[in-house]
Amino acid sequence: MNLILSIESSCDDSSIALTAIDTYDLIFHQKISQETKHSAFGGVVPELASRLHAESLPLILEKTKPYLNSLKAIAVTSEPGLNVTLLEGVMMAKTLSYALNLPLIGVNHLKGHLYSLFLKQKEIFPLGVLLVSGGHTMLLEAQSFDKISIKTQSLDDSFGESFDKVAKMLSLGYPGGPIVESFAKKGNARFTLPIPLRSKKQFAFSFSGLKNAVRLEIEEEIQRNATLNEVFKEDLCKSFQESAIAHLMQKCKIFFEENARNSKRWKHFGVVGGASANLVLRERILEMCNFYGVELLLAPLEFCADNAAMIGRVAVESYKRKEFSAIDFLQTRPRITMF
Ligand code: KG4
Ligand code: ZN
């Protein structure tokens, strides 16, 4: 069996995977999440994350030892992400590549998220994509492995980040996405929060104004009652989630309309990134896909958030194209440009 070993350390998940080059089968995958370690700070502390990667990655690597002789390449997330955490994975990958005399493959993290749709299958192109993570909110059009264009992105915070910030303001812990979603499930959308860029025809995302509106509601409540009770939190989470998703849907609609006018350049639409685990978002996107006659592609829930399996899947394509990275050329600085 010919395998690629892939490493992911762009944020707060230490993960390593083994992917079969010929069949895309995921032979091994493990992830050690640091969420609880950062929870007290309401967000990821880069230096702490880096130190935890240095502890966790070797523990996972140890388990891949029986497969050492089957390895054909070493892949690693090279950008974008937190500098100090990316470095941990990149250093490990470079060491393995050098010591085992195997080619090195640097993988763009966002492309990895896109390929989480194709973990155990061939790619489907052309494809429209909504990428919603902690660092990015983007609409993409993918024609092929190396022809992926950004149609629009967020002007400020990302969708996932806005959930994290709302959770922090309500002292709910980190990461905010799943917690805010579970609070929203029990709440009523009784607060009138703005839907960002609603009146504008602007084809872009923005979440900072909505986050600010949430902050004002919290400040008013504290003035009124000196404390925030559970019902208040649930209702505010629900109102926030409704506005945030309505905003996503309004901009997706522009994207779908444009695609329909162009005799459906893409007939498949994927939603990827950590926040694509949001069930309400999944439901709304499915409705939109059904309306426009487009097939929805989703990653399995466990592979929405950061993981090395998606990095390995991209690396299989790079390997087949013989697209390798020079050992001293890997990017470790985040860049906005991609693919
Ligand atoms: O893709 P990911 O694991 O990391 C980045 O590449 O940034 O995404 C993590 C983000 C966090 O901001 C987290 O709060 C958000 O995804 N997230 C969610 C949900 N689950 C995770 N956001 C909204 N609803 C969720 N259920
Ligand atoms: Zn990610």
Side-chain angles (χ1 to χ4, degrees), residues 46-61:
E47 282 70 23
L48 173 61
S50 172
R51 194 146 35 84
L52 293 168
H53 283 306
E55 281 172 29
S56 302
L57 286 174
L59 294 179
I60 309 177
L61 186 65

Side-chain angles (χ1 to χ4, degrees), residues 4 16 18 21 31 92 179 198 201 208 211 216 303:
I4 290 181
I16 295 181
L18 292 169
I21 294 170
K31 166 163 136 172
M92 176 177 266
I179 314 172
R198 183 181 202 170
K201 285 266 178 283
S208 62
K211 176 192 68 187
L216 292 175
F303 293 108

Side-chain angles (χ1 to χ4, degrees), residues 10 109 113 133-134 273-274 305-306 310:
S10 67
H109 180 78
H113 275 303
S133 70
D306 295 346
M310 66 189 196

